[in-house]
Structures are given as structure tokens and as C-alpha cells.
Amino acid sequence: MAQPETLLRRGLVALVGVALAATTAVAVAGADTVIGAAGRLVNDDSTLLPGQQAAAPEPPRPPGDADTGGALATTPAADTAQSALVAAEDDRLSRVTSGHMSSKTPWLLPAGPRSPATTVLTARRVPYDLGSLERLGAAEQAPDGSWLLVHSVVVARGAELRIQDPGGTLRMTSGPDGFTSIIAFKGTVTLAGDPTAPLTITSWNPATQAPDTDPSDGRAYIRAVGSRMDLSRTSLADLGFWSGRTGGLAWTGNSDTTSTGSLAESLVRGGHFGVFTSRATDVALSDSTLEGSELDGLLVHHATTGLTARNVTSTANGRDGFALVSGAQRITLTASTASRNAGDGIRIDGTPRPGPTPADALTGPVSPVGAIPGAAIPGPATADPQVAVPAPAAGLPPAPATARGTGFTVERSSVVGNADGGILVQSADGVVLSDNTVAGSMDGIVVRGPSTAPQITGNTVDATAFAIAVRYGVTGAQLHDNTVRSSTVGLHVIDSVANLGTNTVTASRYGVSLVGNVDGSSVVANHVGGRGLAAVDTHRVAPAAVADVASNDEDGWVTDRDEIRYWTNYAEDHPLLLLWLLILLVPFAARIWAKRRRKRHAAEENREQPEVPVEPAPAGEDSGPVLQVPLHVLHDVGAGPEATADEPDDTSATTLLPVTRVTVVSGRGAAP
């Protein structure tokens, strides 16, 4: 069995090895990772503070080459089935637009497997209405006055469907046996009620006599394709499935025509998306609420330009409140509200998307989530082969990439209580965020590069971690006249160039923090209050970087210097320090422990030595002190009785001899 000292050495070597390995891992990770509160490595895209929880995996985002959004919880089988349904819808619309389009009278596309018949409305001077749909067999009126849409409807070029029915209800057939839709294909759709009596439109399952709340087998939807569609004073519920263009209420374009229109004084709830736009121009949303969508409340996608949203509330949605992504340009949100969403309140992503691909047809791209651009959509083994979308011809050059999105404005809006973050901007140029109120999320406003010239002014922010952060390749950022009422880090700039001036900041660790290459940045005339490590933190600025820090009012700041809180925060901000302290302190602690162990072992050996009994002297005789002499010593000097042959030779035995008299011998002789 190994000795304690050997085990100690082995344990020490192992412990130091572990510490070195951890240090190496962190060093290799470099700026991309930090140590979380529990010692775990976390991605620095979120730049977690100690105690901040890592975000849950993000729900699927639409890819840059398609308008599909997927679902929050799905399976490969469900993906295949729903993408096949979307492909079938694209094929149905293609068949409608490729046949009888010159007809001057409405015509009928027969029903297909799990697909109702389609009534095609052709051009005429008088708009079609519910009565027209009833005469064409596309709608039926119930005894209670409500209407049931039993055919899908396509509004062709030159035709207009106008449903103005204050207080009325239009139910769209939707269930396991198939679902209906209203699609304007280069036509016009108008749906309207009155301010006190909105028009209600909902999916409807005839079997259950209730709205269709299961989108997994497809669900009724409303869509414009290269058309104008206007809705006012309407209430839409439980519409849409799987993709953006079939997501509920959608304005979409095609290869040569964009859609436009408006949504005013309306409620959209319980859809797959609330509102979806793709290749749309100048869509105006106003005084409306987007609520309880499976994914985003508003998803502005794929080359949408000029969209405005004024006094729009997007709340309690399964992903983001407002998502402005994938080639969107010149988008303005004014006096709007994003609250209680499961993702970000407002997400702006201007990441360049691929240019048009050969797969872009009249109905737009059809790839499912994660599919290769231009690839055919897989369908179930029993799918009609006529539904398949052909792949593009081989040998075509890759599509070019477009520039970053630009021209985003969010002003006078409220972003409160969203699960992920308040306002997130990534890879977008010319962003203006002004006079907004952001609160109730881990981070308030975050701008990530590459981005140029974002203007963040006049905002009021409360955040648990970072109030306003500019990170990783942002240039020309202007942060002025913002008020940070509470935060851990008020204003945070990392590897970016930003001018910070006349902001009022309250924080509990750093008021302003500059990290990495911030060359050309300035921090001037800010008012910083709170208590923590530093009002203005510059100790992590890159050696070659020069930042102008001057004239800041730090009178309201209390610096934690000689307190446990200071050193605790310092250690949390510098996790490698703990590793090196471990490496340096373990040998000293081990040596002290080894010394104490040896002393304890020696004491235990002394306690185990048996005591030697002492024979008492005869009664009445003062024998004096007793001298203990080993027997073998006596034998050597010839003292005592001689040992006999049958006596045991026990040299370890001890004989006790009484000493009756001691004579001291000195150079002067002996004395009795």
C-alpha cells in the first residue's frame, strides 16, 4: 500500500494538472468565452455576468433564403408533414395562376386530397362580397348569421374581394380533413368592421364546432401575393401554420411584384405568426394588437421595405415581439409596445441574405427550415408526385449576397418584461433608437457588429445585467442623453468605437465599462452614480487603444475598495486569478498538512509505547530511587547472577535493581 506521502504527492500533481488544464482551456477560448458563476464556460455573445443564467436554446429562426419559421416544439416527422402541406399550397396556387387566368367569369379548381375546392374570382368592376361567395358556392350562411367559408378563395388580377360586415363572423373551414384560405394574387382584398363592432375571422373545425387550435395538420390562413390587402377593425384568431406565407396574416411578393396594404384598429391572436411580410412595400400597421402567436408577433422578412408600425402592441408571443430580419430595409416602429414575449422584445438583424435563387417562383421560396436553397421539399411517401417542387437546374452560379440591412428606427416605444432581452440589434447600419423605455429583462439595449453609426439617444433603461451595450465591430456609435435607472453595468463598450456623452447612469458594478479595442471612443460629461468596482472602468482596454475619458461627474459613485464585496466582484470578473491562486496555494497547504501529519504520527507512536512497572521496596526499608538497567548491560559488565544455559536469552528484558546507596566520585575522592 502506498505511503501517505506518496499519495499526497500524487494528489498534488493531479490537482495542479487539473488547474493547468482548466487554465489552458480558458486561454484557448480567449475572448469568445468567459467563466460563468458556476464555473461553466458560456458563450460571450451574451457576455454573462456572474450570477446571470445562460439563455435557453433559441427557438428556430427563419433562414435567409426562405420564409419558413418552423415551430417551437416539433419532430422530424412533423417537419416533413407540414413542409409538404406548404409545398402543396404552393403547387395549388401555381395551378390556379397557370390556368384559366384569362377567364372573364369565376371558375373552380376541384378539391384534392385533404384540400377543399378553390373558387377563383376574376376581374370585374364590382367588388365581390359574402353574398357573391355564397352564390358561387364558396361560403354558406348559418342560422345565427355567421358565415362559413367552405372553399378556398383566390382573388385574381383585377378582382376585389370586399367583406365589410360590422359585428359579423366569418369562419374558415379548417381541420384534419383540410383547410381553406383567402389569397389575393395580384388582386385586392378589403376586410373591415366598425369601431364598436369588428369583423371577426377565425378558423373553424366543423367536427368540433370550435376554432382549429391544432396547426400540425395545416390551418386556415389569409395572404396577399403581389397584391393590396387592407384590414381595419377586424379580430382574427387561430390562423396559420408552419411557414410565414401560410402563417396566418401575410403580405408577400413574388419575383416581379411586391405586396402592400394596411392593418388598422385590429386584433390578431393565436396565430402561427401574428403578421408576416416578405417582399412587401409600405405596409402600414396602426393601433393594433398582435397577441399569443406561436412564433413572432410581427416578422418583417425578405426584402420588405418601408413598413411602419404605429401604436402596435405585440405581447405574449412565443418568440420575439417584433422581428425585423433578412434583408428588411427602412422599417419604423413608433409608439409601440413589446411586452411579455418569450424571446426579445424587438430584434433587428440586418445580416446579409443571399440574393434571389432559381427556386424563387411566383409564390416565393419554399424551402423548409434548414433546407438547402433550391432543394425540393420532401413529402410523405403517399404524397401526390404532382405536388413536388422541382429542383433548379444544375450548374447555376451561387446567388450573390446583399448588403446589410439599414434604416431601422425604433422611437417612443415601450419594451417591457420580455424573457430574453429588450432591444437587440445585429449587423445593421443606420439604426436609430430614441426615447424608448426598456425594462424588465436581463439586458436592455444591445447592438452587435458589424454595424455602423447606430444612434442610441434619450432612452430610459432598467436592466438586471447590461443596460446599454455596444459590442464587437460597431463603429461610429452615438450614445447620448440616455438614463440608466438600474443595472449591473450601465454602459458597456467592447471592441467597438462609441461616443458616450451626457448620459445619466446608475449601476452596481461599473457605471461605464470599456473593454478591448475601443480606440477612438470617448466618455465625456456623463453623470455616474451607484456603488461598485469603478464609475468608469478602463483597466481592460487594449494596450494600444486610446479613449478620451474626461469631465465625468462621479460624485454619486461609491467605490468598493476595502470590502469583501470588492474582492468578491474582482474575483468574479477575473476568473483566471482563482485558478492561479489554486496552483500557488495548494503546495503550501499540502506541506503544512504533511508536517502536521508527521507530528501526529510521532505522537501516536509515543502513546503506543508500554509503561514499565516499578517493584515496590520491602516494607520498612528506604531503598531510595530505583535504577532501571537493561539485563544485557548487566551481563556485559558481569553484574548480577550469571545466566544459565536453560534461561532464555531475552536481551530485551529489563531488570529492576533497588539502589540503596549512591556514591559520588570526584577528583577529591569518595564521600559516603
Side-chain angles (χ1 to χ4, degrees):
M1 182 176 179
Q3 295 299 317
E5 290 78 4
T6 302
L7 294 176
L8 175 63
R9 286 194 297 270
R10 292 177 181 175
L12 178 60
V13 171
L15 191 57
V16 172
V18 169
L20 286 173
T23 304
T24 303
V26 174
V28 170
D32 294 333
T33 55
V34 295
I35 297 291
R40 61 186 182 279
L41 289 177
V42 295
N43 194 304
D44 196 40
D45 281 346
S46 58
T47 317
L48 297 183
L49 287 170
Q52 182 177 353
Q53 295 297 317
E58 187 179 60
R61 301 291 185 185
D65 58 1
D67 67 2
T68 47
L72 292 180
T74 187
T75 64
D79 291 352
T80 301
Q82 292 196 61
S83 62
L85 289 172
V86 174
E89 286 296 286
D90 291 338
D91 178 73
R92 179 177 66 88
L93 186 55
S94 295
R95 284 185 282 159
V96 167
T97 57
S98 62
H100 302 91
M101 290 304 291
S102 60
S103 175
K104 295 183 180 180
T105 60
W107 57 279
L108 187 71
L109 179 71
R114 299 181 67 248
S115 176
T118 301
T119 296
V120 182
L121 307 180
T122 55
R124 72 180 193 183
R125 288 180 295 177
V126 179
Y128 296 87
D129 57 13
L130 285 171
S132 302
L133 296 181
E134 183 181 32
R135 289 188 292 272
L136 293 170
E140 301 172 352
Q141 189 170 24
D144 63 358
S146 64
W147 292 86
L148 178 65
L149 190 70
V150 294
H151 290 178
S152 290
V153 174
V154 172
V155 184
R157 185 192 299 271
E160 179 182 357
L161 174 63
R162 182 182 297 172
I163 300 177
Q164 291 181 304
D165 189 10
T169 298
L170 174 61
R171 295 166 174 164
M172 302 175 66
T173 299
S174 181
D177 296 330
F179 53 89
T180 57
S181 62
I182 297 174
I183 299 177
F185 185 83
K186 301 187 178 181
T188 302
V189 170
T190 301
L191 306 172
D194 279 348
T196 58
L199 167 65
T200 299
I201 302 175
T202 182
S203 61
W204 192 256
N205 187 342
T208 62
Q209 290 293 294
D212 183 2
T213 57
D214 180 10
S216 64
D217 53 6
R219 194 163 59 171
Y221 64 93
I222 301 172
R223 176 188 180 194
V225 183
S227 303
R228 181 172 190 94
M229 181 167 65
D230 296 287
L231 294 87
S232 62
R233 307 179 183 100
T234 58
S235 176
L236 286 73
D238 301 310
L239 298 175
F241 73 101
W242 184 242
S243 73
R245 59 190 181 276
T246 61
L249 180 62
W251 281 263
T252 66
N254 53 38
S255 57
D256 60 358
T257 309
T258 62
S259 284
T260 190
S262 63
L263 175 73
E265 299 178 60
S266 295
L267 168 66
V268 183
R269 60 181 175 82
H272 184 61
F273 291 100
V275 170
F276 174 86
T277 69
S278 172
R279 290 181 178 143
T281 304
D282 299 330
V283 175
L285 312 178
S286 62
D287 305 305
S288 297
T289 297
L290 314 175
E291 181 179 68
S293 306
E294 188 178 17
L295 295 180
D296 306 314
L298 170 64
L299 176 56
V300 180
H301 193 266
H302 197 172
T304 295
T305 60
L307 180 143
T308 60
R310 180 182 296 274
N311 194 27
V312 174
T313 297
S314 185
T315 183
N317 298 291
R319 198 163 63 182
D320 301 328
F322 298 90
L324 320 177
V325 302
S326 191
Q329 307 271 355
R330 297 189 293 106
I331 310 299
T332 301
L333 306 182
T334 302
S336 294
T337 299
S339 65
R340 299 187 296 113
N341 298 288
D344 297 314
I346 299 174
R347 180 170 65 97
I348 301 172
D349 188 348
T351 302
R353 64 172 302 279
T357 69
D360 288 343
L362 292 176
T363 58
V366 295
S367 303
V369 171
I372 299 173
I377 288 184
T382 58
D384 184 346
Q386 294 181 354
V387 173
V389 178
L396 292 173
T402 60
R404 290 194 298 266
T406 186
F408 300 95
T409 299
V410 181
E411 58 186 3
R412 303 194 307 279
S413 295
S414 176
V415 185
V416 179
N418 299 283
D420 282 354
I423 301 175
L424 171 63
V425 178
Q426 180 167 318
S427 300
D429 297 332
V431 176
V432 177
L433 307 176
S434 65
D435 302 310
N436 302 292
T437 298
V438 183
S441 55
M442 186 65 71
D443 295 336
I445 298 173
V446 177
V447 179
R448 296 175 182 160
S451 297
T452 60
Q455 298 181 40
I456 307 173
T457 60
N459 301 284
T460 300
V461 183
D462 287 90
T464 304
F466 298 92
I468 303 176
V470 176
R471 300 171 178 160
Y472 312 128
V474 178
T475 59
Q478 303 294 325
L479 280 69
H480 295 283
D481 302 310
N482 299 287
T483 300
V484 176
R485 297 190 301 191
S486 64
S487 65
T488 300
V489 178
L491 307 179
H492 182 230
V493 180
I494 177 171
D495 294 330
S496 297
V497 180
N499 297 317
L500 285 61
T502 62
N503 301 286
T504 300
V505 178
T506 301
S508 61
R509 181 167 299 181
Y510 298 118
V512 179
S513 180
L514 306 181
V515 181
N517 184 8
V518 294
D519 191 43
S521 296
S522 64
V523 182
V524 178
N526 298 281
H527 301 273
V528 185
R531 177 171 184 164
L533 300 181
V536 179
D537 164 39
T538 59
H539 72 276
R540 290 171 290 174
V541 171
V546 177
D548 181 15
V549 179
S551 303
N552 296 290
D553 178 9
E554 302 178 13
D555 291 344
W557 185 266
V558 177
T559 301
D560 291 328
R561 280 296 179 187
D562 299 321
E563 300 179 3
I564 295 176
R565 178 179 176 184
Y566 170 82
W567 293 110
T568 300
N569 290 339
Y570 188 87
E572 289 175 343
D573 287 343
H574 301 79
L576 292 182
L577 176 65
L578 299 178
L579 294 175
W580 284 111
L581 285 176
L582 176 65
I583 294 173
L584 295 174
L585 293 178
V586 163
F588 294 101
R591 182 165 184 174
I592 293 173
W593 178 79
K595 286 183 176 181
R596 295 186 62 182
R597 181 179 176 84
R598 284 196 295 269
K599 290 181 179 180
R600 187 167 58 251
H601 183 67
E604 290 176 353
E605 288 182 346
N606 291 337
R607 285 197 299 269
E608 292 174 358
Q609 183 69 33
E611 296 183 0
V612 180
V614 179
E615 296 182 0
E621 180 179 348
D622 184 9
S623 59
V626 178
L627 179 64
Q628 300 181 10
V629 182
L631 183 59
H632 68 274
V633 175
L634 297 179
H635 289 177
D636 290 340
V637 298
E642 294 182 0
T644 60
D646 47 343
E647 289 179 340
D649 185 45
D650 187 359
T651 58
S652 64
T654 302
T655 301
L656 302 181
L657 300 178
V659 179
T660 57
R661 185 173 183 178
V662 177
T663 302
V664 179
V665 180
S666 66
R668 292 176 297 177

